[in-house]
Amino acid sequence: MIKKLLLSAAIALVGTAAASDVKVGMITTLSGGGAGLGIDVRDGFMLAITQAGRSDIEVIIEDDQRKPDIAVQLSDKMIQSERVDVMTGIIWSNLAMAVVPASTAQGVFYLSPNAGPSALAGRGCHENYFNVAWQNDALHEAAGAYANQASFEKSFILAPNYPAGKDALTGYKRLFDGDLAGEIYTKLGQTDYAAEIAQIRASGADSVFFFLPGGMGISFLKQYAASGVDIPLVGPAFSFDQGILGAVGDAALGVVNTSQWNKDIDNPTNAAFVASFTETYGRLPSLYASQGFDTANLLISAIDVAHPDDADAFRAALMAADFDSTRGDFAFGSNRHPVQNIYAREVVKEGDLVTNRILSVTLENHGDVYAADCTR
Amino acid sequence: MSPILIIEQLLNGLQFGVMLFLMAAGLTLIFGVMGLINLAHGSLYMVGAFAAAAVAAATGSFFLALAASLAAAAAAGVVIEVFVIRRLYRAAHLDQVLATFALILIFAEGARWVFGSFPLYFDVPPMLSGPIMLPGGVQYPLYRLALIGVGLAVGCGLWWLTARTRIGIQIRAGANDREMIAALGVDISRLYTVVFALGAALAGFAGALVGAIQSVEVGMGDPVLIMAFVVVVIGGIGSIKGAFIGAILVGLTDRLGGIFLPEVFKLFMEPGAATQTGSALASMAIYILMGVVLVWRPSGLFGARA
Amino acid sequence: MIPERFITFAVPAGLFIIAILAFWTDEPFTITLTTRVAILGLAAVGLNIALGIGGLVSLGHAAFFGLGGYAMGILAYHAQTYSPLTLGPLVIEGTKSMPVIWIVAVVTSALAALAIGVLSLRTSGVYFIMITLAFGQMLYYFSVSWSAYGGEDGLSIYLRNEFPGINTLVPIQFFGLCFVLLCLALVLQARLRGSSFGLALNAARQAPARVETVGLNPVRLKLLAFVISGAITGLAGALYADLNRFVSPSMFSWHLSGELIVLIIIGGVGRLVGPVIGAALFVALEHWLGGLTEYWHIGLGAILLGIVLFSRGGVIGFLTGKAGPNV
């Protein structure tokens, strides 16, 4: 009996000690294909936590290997065994679909630093799910808007044959006013685009929109540059982040891509972020790193107001988005997805370094079309 | 569908086919001579590409990079043959599958450990970059044309090696009757090492050649490995000729299927749905081809035995 | 040396005890891990019937695992959205009932195993390995590009399916369910091995010509084993999908086929509970090594190599001091 009392007292002590701390579970891709993105998100996130000097925020980091079943297992572990308050980190939409609904249903807050599938922005939205990056369509819509501004009239569009690829082409078509010279779905993971490039050449298009993330984009850009086809390319930033540009080299020069962030966005937060990230990790930050950094700063700003245990207050504090974003102005729409500027960037050479430079603001304070369907 | 587009796609299929042949030739030789199934063949492809990218970054020379890919893959081949594979010749296929699967894990994570998680930069040399005008008005990348040439040359070289040289005779004899050629005084263990290194070098060479127009990253060998298996099954195990014809068939089917199937479906479906159905079927086309060949000839087009 | 009969009983009992201990000490995640062991073990027990008794090295069993998973995913998706599945004139209502889903999963994967088996068994040896691998990849690519059920994104099922009389959302109860199925599959395999079918199959592996001379068709024996094997792996797929409340093409990936073989070999080929030991060690390694380093695959690879090169017969072979049957 006495033993039992002591035990419960100990548990109570641990309980009160832990109550002031916030436990954050980060599940992201650190090994296997696509690990570069997860590493950038993690490094950006941890940079913000370290800079804030917050010892009351405990971050548990796990690697999902880009496998949905591993991600689900890790999220079960974090919720059931580590009892985290907030989760974050997932890169890929398919993993987000596997983890986010189950996590929010168990009362945990989820802050997405990257994936923004439409299913979670519309009818499937949840009051505890916040996206700090973008709804998946945003950059593609901006590419469509840019094509109008550049007065392109006939686009050839291509993307891999999987849901995010279809969303990309839908997003482009949503704002693009011209006609389509062709529309192709390629095989996911395809590395040879000779056949598609031949079709582009034969199509008579005046512009090409492509969404080919990761290694697919590298292959496409190199082969496109070698093919002699000189129709201008437009794409979302995913094929032009710093890690990819290093592998593509000069083949990407001059290509216009759309992004919500770039290292030359002119505000003090961003300048300090770029400098400290470069100094700490010895490489330039990518947009993923900026998203990780913003996610952590949003979290810190909300924790300063309320502990996640006080869910309503914490949620309101997140919604206020009272933090200095690397993107400048940042606000949440009614479905807790960003309302932000999207820029057109051009790939340029600075000395020996191939990187991006901002051309113009393509869409101002842009939200997403799914917000109307979100009633929670 | 203009004739020019069709010619261009035929060339693309051919180019893809000859690169597959470089992979499949090694696989089929290794199986034919040693009876070994090597899942790690895709890792050797990756080793070649990484070695080439690293040497190109250090020296700036594309041809040194190609030489490095051959050397590195052959060396990796010798190392794994001597330390792992050699113990498996008498083992069951199951043990071979498991051991070479383990090698894939080790190579993939090892490459990530050494080179990091970001794709590497490796590009075609200036003298081979850009397009070239072919007779008939077809504009085609010079580098891809060079790949077709190199692939055909390697194919001829392999044929000459197996049909006309002493080591080729030993290889063919080894495939037919191991005990007999050992009894005739051929150092079988050295022969095996040589064949394995040759297969590895071919895979590494293919990795470097293709790496110049694709992305050099961890895991790049997996899809190629499986396609090379399909090629070997279609062509018949142990047959270089079968591997060549199988590779060209698979290359053409994959490339032409991706373009023409959606067009065919557009004849009787609305365009959006046709593109999707067409692409879905096209991604299965080579496996369907394999199924058809198997029904017709269970041991492949040129296979001696099942 | 420990007798194999003892191990056969001790391993499932050990798994059960770990789950119960985890339940008492309120460690729900450990229960989830043991459930994973039971399900992966079940899938590998299925493969073990083809591989261990029939000598069929299938590198495409992820196909059946994935089909089982999608049987669950598609039925539950239609139940979740209240939209019946229409196949031409046929209208099928979705369902959240586990027994129904299990039957569908078993039948679907058995039919697929029949089709794949008929083609693949025209060949043998290394051809068989490559062909099963290729068919697995074919289904993988199909599932990726088949957008009606999420394609690459997969399908999320928000609540676990129902089993009469059991609250499947409680980890220990769902574990119990999977554990019972695992034990049933083990009993089935033991019975099969001792039956005249099992003996004939064993003979067909070792000496097909002799089997033929006594009037049996070795290909037909192997085909039956392959179908039973695929069906059990398919059932495991349905359970795995329910454990994760999620299905995606990654269930079809060839790495999963490779891992199923790995489970069997770690435990010991052709041993009754070999796959369960393999699954337990695999899950434990994944957690222990994965916690130590991002590069844990190197360690896993090295351990596998060590097992192949130095310890024929896997863990059970090591414990009993007897090498397993040669496959």
Side-chain angles (χ1 to χ4, degrees):
Chain A
M1 188 64 206
I2 293 171
K3 239 183 187 173
K4 213 171 184 181
L5 272 177
L6 277 175
L7 196 68
S8 51
I11 289 168
L13 270 177
V14 173
T16 47
S20 59
D21 283 0
V22 175
K23 256 191 171 180
V24 180
M26 172 182 281
I27 301 173
T28 194
T29 306
L30 301 173
S31 68
L37 283 70
I39 290 172
D40 270 356
V41 163
R42 176 194 66 185
D43 290 351
F45 191 93
M46 293 315 292
L47 183 68
I49 300 283
T50 319
Q51 282 177 355
R54 297 294 290 253
S55 56
D56 61 330
I57 302 176
E58 186 192 345
V59 186
I60 305 156
I61 301 172
E62 295 273 11
D63 172 22
D64 59 34
Q65 305 168 43
R66 201 179 173 173
K67 292 180 183 161
D69 52 327
I70 304 279
V72 170
Q73 196 189 331
L74 290 171
S75 81
D76 278 353
K77 178 182 168 192
M78 287 189 169
I79 296 168
Q80 295 171 357
S81 159
E82 308 276 1
R83 301 191 164 88
V84 297
D85 305 295
V86 180
M87 298 223 317
T88 183
I90 297 221
I91 301 292
W92 314 98
S93 293
N94 56 333
L95 274 68
M97 288 308 297
V99 167
V100 173
S103 308
T104 47
Q106 293 179 68
V108 171
F109 281 89
Y110 193 92
L111 308 180
S112 175
N114 199 61
S118 51
L120 296 178
R123 273 197 305 169
C125 70
H126 191 280
E127 55 181 0
N128 285 356
Y129 168 70
F130 288 75
N131 186 306
V132 197
W134 21 253
Q135 200 283 314
N136 280 358
D137 297 5
L139 302 194
H140 312 301
E141 289 169 347
Y146 171 79
N148 295 335
Q149 288 161 16
S151 37
F152 292 142
E153 283 166 358
K154 214 170 165 211
S155 283
F156 193 101
I157 60 179
L158 73 157
N161 193 15
Y162 78 122
K166 281 161 204 148
D167 290 350
L169 298 193
T170 314
Y172 184 79
K173 289 188 278 188
R174 188 174 292 136
L175 293 192
F176 179 56
D177 297 329
D179 296 328
L180 296 183
E183 178 173 1
I184 315 188
Y185 288 104
T186 61
K187 198 157 66 175
L188 189 73
Q190 180 173 326
T191 47
D192 192 343
Y193 292 93
E196 288 74 15
I197 291 170
Q199 282 179 288
I200 291 172
R201 192 204 305 275
S203 69
D206 65 0
S207 52
V208 176
F209 168 76
F210 74 103
F211 164 64
L212 295 166
M216 294 183 274
I218 297 176
S219 302
F220 177 78
L221 284 168
K222 285 163 89 170
Q223 292 161 26
Y224 192 80
S227 70
V229 181
D230 51 6
I231 304 168
L233 291 173
V234 186
F238 313 120
S239 301
F240 301 91
D241 74 66
Q242 213 54 49
I244 286 183
L245 287 180
V248 178
D250 291 353
L253 288 182
V255 179
V256 173
N257 62 94
T258 51
S259 175
Q260 86 289 4
W261 176 85
N262 196 39
K263 67 181 188 337
D264 60 358
I265 292 181
D266 191 15
N267 67 59
T269 313
N270 195 35
F273 163 66
V274 174
S276 58
F277 189 95
T278 315
E279 194 197 24
T280 313
Y281 301 109
R283 62 175 195 275
L284 278 174
S286 65
L287 81 158
Y288 310 111
S290 81
Q291 291 157 195
F293 189 79
D294 280 353
T295 305
N297 280 327
L298 167 71
L299 176 70
I300 293 169
S301 76
I303 289 174
D304 285 341
V305 177
H307 189 275
D309 285 347
D310 184 1
D312 289 331
F314 185 69
R315 190 178 306 120
L318 284 172
M319 197 64 188
D322 184 17
F323 72 105
D324 293 325
S325 165
T326 55
R327 295 167 234 181
D329 292 340
F330 182 97
F332 282 116
S334 59
N335 59 345
R336 296 161 291 269
H337 280 59
V339 174
Q340 59 189 348
N341 289 350
I342 316 266
Y343 303 89
R345 317 186 294 183
E346 185 185 13
V347 180
V348 294
K349 216 165 182 180
E350 292 174 0
D352 271 347
L353 182 77
V354 179
T355 186
N356 287 293
R357 182 172 57 96
I358 285 191
L359 286 178
S360 60
V361 179
T362 308
L363 290 172
E364 247 176 277
N365 292 327
H366 184 62
D368 60 85
V369 295
Y370 305 102
D373 295 334
C374 170
T375 49
R376 276 194 283 187
Chain B
M1 273 296 122
S2 67
I4 291 185
L5 185 62
I6 294 174
I7 294 173
E8 203 174 340
Q9 303 297 17
L10 284 172
L11 284 172
N12 287 333
L14 194 62
Q15 180 259 315
F16 182 52
V18 294
M19 287 300 113
L20 271 181
F21 167 68
L22 292 188
M23 279 290 283
L27 268 183
T28 205
L29 264 184
I30 290 170
F31 184 78
V33 176
M34 316 175 194
L36 178 97
I37 176 164
N38 181 20
L39 294 182
H41 212 63
S43 303
L44 296 165
Y45 177 88
M46 179 187 77
V47 165
F50 272 86
V55 168
T59 65
S61 159
F62 179 76
F63 296 97
L64 273 183
L66 284 189
S69 74
L70 281 167
V78 169
V79 168
I80 59 178
E81 201 276 339
V82 169
F83 287 103
V84 180
I85 307 286
R86 184 168 289 179
R87 301 158 184 267
L88 295 173
Y89 292 131
R90 293 192 176 281
H93 288 323
L94 186 58
D95 286 340
Q96 300 174 349
V97 166
L98 187 72
T100 49
F101 186 74
L103 287 175
I104 293 184
L105 297 178
I106 294 174
F107 271 104
E109 288 302 293
R112 214 166 63 76
W113 193 28
V114 176
F115 292 98
S117 302
F118 297 93
L120 301 187
Y121 172 77
F122 182 47
D123 210 348
V124 297
M127 58 179 284
L128 287 176
S129 65
I132 186 176
M133 194 59 94
L134 298 180
V138 180
Q139 207 185 19
Y140 198 71
L142 179 58
Y143 184 76
R144 284 180 190 270
L145 219 51
L147 288 188
I148 297 178
V150 170
L152 294 177
V154 171
C156 292
L158 274 179
W159 171 81
W160 175 79
L161 183 80
T162 49
R164 292 278 184 274
T165 63
R166 185 165 184 82
I167 189 156
I169 294 169
Q170 292 178 355
I171 289 174
R172 279 182 294 142
N176 285 331
D177 193 336
R178 250 167 273 183
E179 283 77 19
M180 185 56 83
I181 80 155
L184 289 173
V186 174
D187 181 351
I188 195 98
S189 118
R190 199 183 56 110
L191 178 71
Y192 281 7
T193 311
V194 168
V195 171
F196 199 86
L198 176 69
L202 285 175
F205 190 54
L209 289 175
V210 172
I213 48 171
Q214 294 180 359
S215 75
V216 177
E217 59 185 340
V218 174
M220 64 187 284
D222 285 5
V224 193
L225 172 78
I226 290 161
M227 292 203 131
F229 274 148
V230 173
V231 168
V232 171
V233 168
I234 289 177
I237 289 171
S239 162
I240 296 278
K241 185 165 72 170
F244 187 78
I245 291 175
I248 302 294
L249 266 180
V250 168
L252 289 175
T253 309
D254 192 66
R255 285 298 172 264
L256 298 182
I259 303 304
F260 294 114
L261 276 179
E263 296 298 322
V264 170
F265 278 91
K266 271 182 200 160
L267 297 177
F268 52 90
M269 285 170 83
E270 50 105 9
T275 321
Q276 283 189 23
T277 320
S279 332
L281 268 182
S283 65
M284 308 202 310
I286 62 162
Y287 304 106
I288 296 169
L289 174 73
M290 182 187 76
V292 172
V293 170
L294 278 180
V295 171
W296 177 42
R297 295 185 79 129
S299 54
L301 296 177
F302 297 93
R305 46 186 184 168
Chain C
M1 292 297 120
I2 307 163
E4 186 174 347
R5 176 175 282 272
F6 172 77
I7 298 174
T8 304
F9 286 101
V11 168
L15 188 65
F16 188 72
I17 291 169
I18 293 174
I20 293 296
L21 283 179
F23 176 66
W24 271 340
T25 52
D26 193 23
E27 284 288 342
F29 184 63
T30 311
I31 303 176
T32 305
L33 284 185
T34 52
T35 314
R36 197 172 141 83
V37 170
I39 295 171
L40 286 178
L42 179 65
V45 164
L47 176 59
N48 204 15
I49 289 177
L51 196 153
I53 313 181
L56 301 167
V57 183
S58 162
L59 197 46
H61 254 54
F64 313 122
F65 198 66
L67 282 173
Y70 269 90
M72 172 277 187
I74 290 171
L75 287 174
Y77 170 78
H78 284 288
Q80 180 170 294
T81 54
Y82 304 104
S83 57
L85 165 65
T86 31
L87 287 171
L90 209 63
V91 177
I92 303 168
E93 292 290 335
T95 176
K96 297 282 283 179
S97 154
M98 276 193 195
V100 178
I101 288 171
W102 292 349
I103 292 168
V104 174
V106 164
V107 170
T108 319
S109 26
L111 287 177
L114 184 66
I116 293 178
V118 163
L119 276 176
S120 314
L121 284 167
R122 295 171 67 88
T123 66
S124 61
V126 75
Y127 270 108
F128 185 83
I129 301 178
M130 295 194 211
I131 290 163
T132 46
L133 171 63
F135 279 122
Q137 279 306 100
M138 182 175 102
L139 285 175
Y140 171 77
Y141 282 117
F142 182 74
S143 64
V144 165
S145 44
W146 194 30
S147 54
Y149 295 106
E152 172 81 356
D153 282 2
L155 274 177
S156 253
I157 303 303
Y158 299 126
L159 288 175
R160 213 164 260 163
N161 294 304
E162 294 138 12
F163 190 89
I166 283 183
N167 180 357
T168 53
L169 281 169
V170 178
I172 191 73
Q173 299 199 13
F174 185 61
F175 167 80
L177 214 51
C178 298
F179 184 75
V180 168
L181 286 175
L182 172 67
C183 292
L184 286 178
L186 286 172
V187 170
L188 174 75
Q189 195 195 344
R191 285 287 188 83
L192 219 52
R193 205 155 55 164
S195 72
S196 56
F197 165 71
L199 295 174
L201 183 63
N202 206 4
R205 166 168 61 84
Q206 290 172 345
R210 291 194 194 172
V211 175
E212 232 159 334
T213 51
V214 298
L216 291 166
N217 181 342
V219 172
R220 204 168 287 171
L221 287 170
K222 287 181 177 176
L223 184 60
L224 183 56
F226 195 69
V227 169
I228 296 175
S229 161
I232 294 179
T233 304
L235 175 63
L239 290 175
Y240 195 70
D242 245 326
L243 172 68
N244 294 336
R245 303 174 298 278
F246 181 72
V247 266
S248 80
S250 72
M251 287 181 76
F252 282 114
S253 91
W254 77 278
H255 273 265
L256 199 127
S257 300
E259 279 166 12
L260 287 181
I261 293 190
V262 166
L263 301 186
I264 293 183
I265 303 195
I266 294 181
V269 183
R271 312 284 190 159
L272 199 53
V273 294
V276 187
I277 296 189
L281 282 179
F282 187 83
V283 170
L285 272 182
E286 189 173 62
H287 271 262
W288 176 62
L289 281 178
L292 287 183
T293 162
E294 277 175 34
Y295 304 106
W296 71 280
H297 274 155
I298 296 186
L300 178 66
I303 291 172
L304 292 181
L305 267 188
I307 290 179
V308 181
L309 295 180
F310 303 112
S311 145
R312 299 275 159 78
V315 172
I316 300 188
F318 178 75
L319 290 178
T320 57
K322 285 182 207 146
N326 201 17
V327 180

